[in-house]
Amino acid sequence: MRNAMVRSPTDEELREERRSRQTRPLAHAFNRIIISLANAVLAGTLLSQTIKAFAMNGELGIRSLATAALPPIIVAYFAFFSRGVKPAQRSSEISYFLVFAGWIMLLLMFINFEGVTYNLGMLLGQFALSTTLSIWILLARSLSFRAVLSSSYGILAGFLLYILLFGIPAY
């Protein structure tokens, strides 16, 4: 039985991706690398925050690990066991880029400015980051390749813009 949240790609989208792979294999490979880098940025930031929490003390590390594990469990439940959830409406690719770029900028600012001084701020930042990663992976299953690629560019642009404005994050 297919999941209600997973959208099947249309024939046109499949033809376009196949044509892209055949006519521009380097561009297609580069796009796949961009998607992998976006995953690495989110997962790496989350992992470094968890390691930092364990370095501070054991209890905070365990709480941090629980905080990072909770959103994937909740999102997995809604993705695989709930019914009646409609797939996301089609939006323009630029909106995915802007939303993800802005959200990553805000999230990194919160993690690095609030999480440095307060343990609760660190945990809330990790929760938001883990939720972002979980929802993004879920969205990637139901969006077109172009929309996923656009959101990946947004994640990377938000991360690089943060570095440009505030320097390398202090994980």
Side-chain angles (χ1 to χ4, degrees), residues 117-168:
T117 55
Y118 301 107
N119 290 344
L120 182 59
M122 174 189 268
L123 294 174
L124 288 174
Q126 284 182 306
F127 184 78
L129 186 60
S130 182
T131 302
T132 301
L133 179 61
S134 301
I135 290 175
W136 187 71
I137 290 171
L138 181 66
L139 281 176
R141 294 177 51 198
S142 63
L143 295 175
S144 69
F145 180 73
R146 290 175 55 92
V148 171
L149 186 60
S150 181
S151 63
S152 298
Y153 275 103
I155 290 169
L156 293 176
F159 184 72
L160 293 175
L161 189 59
Y162 177 85
I163 290 174
L164 175 73
L165 295 175
F166 302 106
I168 295 176

Side-chain angles (χ1 to χ4, degrees), residues 12-32 145-146 149:
E12 182 181 326
E13 289 172 344
L14 290 173
R15 278 193 302 270
E16 181 182 332
E17 187 173 347
R18 211 171 310 134
R19 186 177 25 223
S20 171
R21 254 187 270 151
Q22 292 170 350
T23 60
R24 300 182 324 211
L26 288 177
H28 186 74
F30 181 74
N31 289 337
R32 291 290 181 182
F145 180 73
R146 290 175 55 92
L149 186 60

Side-chain angles (χ1 to χ4, degrees), residues 18-171:
R18 211 171 310 134
R19 186 177 25 223
S20 171
R21 254 187 270 151
Q22 292 170 350
T23 60
R24 300 182 324 211
L26 288 177
H28 186 74
F30 181 74
N31 289 337
R32 291 290 181 182
I33 290 170
I34 293 296
I35 292 171
S36 297
L37 278 174
N39 274 325
V41 163
L42 292 175
T45 304
L46 184 61
L47 180 63
S48 67
Q49 287 290 305
T50 304
I51 290 169
K52 180 180 173 184
F54 272 106
M56 292 172 81
N57 68 45
E59 180 187 351
L60 183 61
I62 296 295
R63 291 175 67 195
S64 171
L65 196 57
T67 300
L70 183 61
I73 291 169
I74 293 170
V75 170
Y77 171 78
F78 283 113
F80 298 113
F81 299 115
S82 67
R83 297 173 193 240
V85 180
K86 296 181 181 180
Q89 298 291 326
R90 286 192 60 107
S91 298
S92 69
E93 283 84 15
I94 190 71
S95 65
Y96 290 110
F97 175 83
L98 293 173
V99 165
F100 275 93
W103 174 246
I104 294 301
M105 278 281 300
L106 290 173
L107 187 57
L108 289 175
M109 287 185 338
F110 178 79
I111 288 172
N112 287 309
F113 294 128
E114 186 66 27
V116 170
T117 55
Y118 301 107
N119 290 344
L120 182 59
M122 174 189 268
L123 294 174
L124 288 174
Q126 284 182 306
F127 184 78
L129 186 60
S130 182
T131 302
T132 301
L133 179 61
S134 301
I135 290 175
W136 187 71
I137 290 171
L138 181 66
L139 281 176
R141 294 177 51 198
S142 63
L143 295 175
S144 69
F145 180 73
R146 290 175 55 92
V148 171
L149 186 60
S150 181
S151 63
S152 298
Y153 275 103
I155 290 169
L156 293 176
F159 184 72
L160 293 175
L161 189 59
Y162 177 85
I163 290 174
L164 175 73
L165 295 175
F166 302 106
I168 295 176
Y171 303 132

